[in-house]
Amino acid sequence: MCERRLDGRGLSAYRAYLIQEERAPSTVEKYLRDGRAFAAWLGDAAVSREAVSAWKAHLLAMGQSPVSVNAKLSALNGLFRFLGWEECRARLLRLQRRAFREESKELTREEYQRLLSAAREGGRERLALLLETICATGIRVSELRFVTVEAARRGRADVALKGKIRTILLPGKLCRKLLKYAGRNKTASGEVFLTRGGASLSRKQIWREMKGLCQRAGVEPSKVFPHNLRHLFASAFYRATRDIVKLADVLGHASINTTRIYLLTAGTEHARQLERLGLVC
């Protein structure tokens, strides 16, 4: 067997492949970042399953969480699959499914309302409407570009990613707000959420603007990021419908197991549920 060497050419080819597969820019960057980190740690040594296992042990020894380590290994395994290096792929750490979410990451409806108020009071109309759009529809931040003036008029947005098309219904009240905002900004067609220069908002910019609300809203920064609005939507939708299959379709999940992760309650709520069992006499 010839020695496997990971170099810039392989990573560049993988980048082109991920882009062709219509992976989100943040996903592409994350996979490449993990690939470069492994290559830097490996140095001049050859790639092998043993080397990947040693890197896994190194990451754990450095104090990285098992979830983070598995994410990095998944990125590497995808790279090796693309390169045809199946024998180099490493096993992920086996994790028991958690029954609740960390309290420090659970965004409540009340905290969401405080974020909206902080945005409006600070004159951040675009940001407030953007938060409402994500939270009222459950879309990913990468899907915001499909929220167009035309979509607001139809009451539905067609999201085309990874070779699949998913239709997202937009609540009537949200549509009216989107069209009113677009009218004030003289946006007759195309994306609703744009920079002053007319470009699409980047994930990094949205993240930064959301974090800027934390102090004024009195919400912990660890809870404030776009994907947590998607989690809040999922929780509210499931409480209203009790239909996890429909929720999976709305969120665009291929597996209900992924949707289940979105429905984990906070640790305090889990503790209250245990207390209500009344099994301690």
Side-chain angles (χ1 to χ4, degrees), residues 27 29 34 41 64 68 91 96 128 130 132 134 136 138 155 159 182 187 211-212 215 233 261 263:
T27 300
E29 179 53 37
D34 292 338
W41 177 84
Q64 296 203 20
S68 295
R91 292 193 179 194
Q96 181 175 336
L130 186 150
E132 285 187 305
I134 295 177
V159 175
T187 304
K211 293 293 185 183
Q215 185 172 0
F233 166 84
I261 297 172
L263 301 180

Side-chain angles (χ1 to χ4, degrees), residues 49-275:
R49 180 173 294 178
E50 292 72 24
V52 178
S53 295
W55 189 56
K56 174 170 61 175
H58 166 73
L59 294 175
L60 289 170
M62 293 294 291
Q64 296 203 20
S65 71
V67 173
S68 295
V69 172
N70 274 353
K72 294 177 189 299
L73 292 176
S74 294
L76 274 191
N77 285 343
L79 171 61
F80 296 155
R81 184 182 297 111
F82 166 75
L83 294 172
W85 299 356
E86 293 290 337
E87 75 281 1
C88 296
R89 299 177 66 219
R91 292 193 179 194
L92 304 185
L93 297 167
R94 296 185 63 183
L95 304 177
Q96 181 175 336
R97 193 189 305 275
R98 296 196 67 168
F100 56 89
R101 295 186 72 198
E102 292 292 342
E103 192 73 24
S104 62
K105 295 183 179 179
E106 182 76 10
L107 182 69
T108 66
R109 183 187 291 263
E110 190 269 337
E111 288 169 331
Y112 162 65
Q113 294 291 345
R114 295 211 307 265
L115 289 170
L116 287 179
S117 296
R120 289 169 181 149
E121 291 167 6
R124 312 293 297 279
E125 180 191 12
R126 182 186 67 189
L127 180 56
L129 185 55
L130 186 150
L131 298 181
E132 285 187 305
T133 300
I134 295 177
C135 203
T137 61
I139 63 173
R140 302 175 178 90
V141 69
S142 61
E143 297 170 341
L144 271 174
R145 59 191 174 95
F146 295 100
V147 178
T148 62
V149 174
E150 294 82 359
R153 288 177 182 145
R154 293 193 307 266
R156 51 194 289 170
D158 293 323
V159 175
L161 287 174
K162 302 179 183 178
K164 296 184 292 185
I165 297 178
R166 176 168 114 262
T167 299
I168 297 171
L169 298 181
L170 306 176
K173 186 175 181 179
L174 177 63
C175 289
R176 292 190 290 274
K177 283 190 169 189
L178 290 169
L179 291 173
K180 187 175 180 180
Y181 172 81
R184 283 198 298 269
N185 288 276
K186 296 181 172 55
T187 304
S189 63
E191 294 178 51
V192 172
F193 298 106
L194 299 169
T195 65
R196 290 180 181 178
S200 300
L201 292 175
S202 69
R203 177 189 296 268
K204 185 178 295 186
Q205 181 175 353
I206 294 171
W207 186 290
R208 184 173 61 249
E209 290 188 12
M210 286 183 65
K211 293 293 185 183
L213 296 174
C214 295
Q215 185 172 0
R216 184 168 191 160
V219 181
E220 288 296 324
S222 62
K223 299 182 177 186
V224 182
F225 50 93
H227 207 69
N228 236 10
L229 297 174
R230 185 166 152 89
H231 276 276
L232 182 55
F233 166 84
S235 297
F237 186 96
Y238 183 72
R239 288 193 186 100
T241 66
R242 295 295 171 180
D243 190 336
I244 193 172
V245 174
K246 187 171 184 178
L247 176 58
D249 290 338
V250 171
L251 294 175
H253 290 159
S255 169
I256 289 179
N257 287 330
T258 303
T259 312
R260 288 184 62 195
I261 297 172
Y262 283 66
L263 301 180
L264 295 178
T265 57
T268 52
E269 175 61 24
H270 183 70
R272 282 195 292 269
Q273 291 169 347
L274 293 178
E275 292 291 342

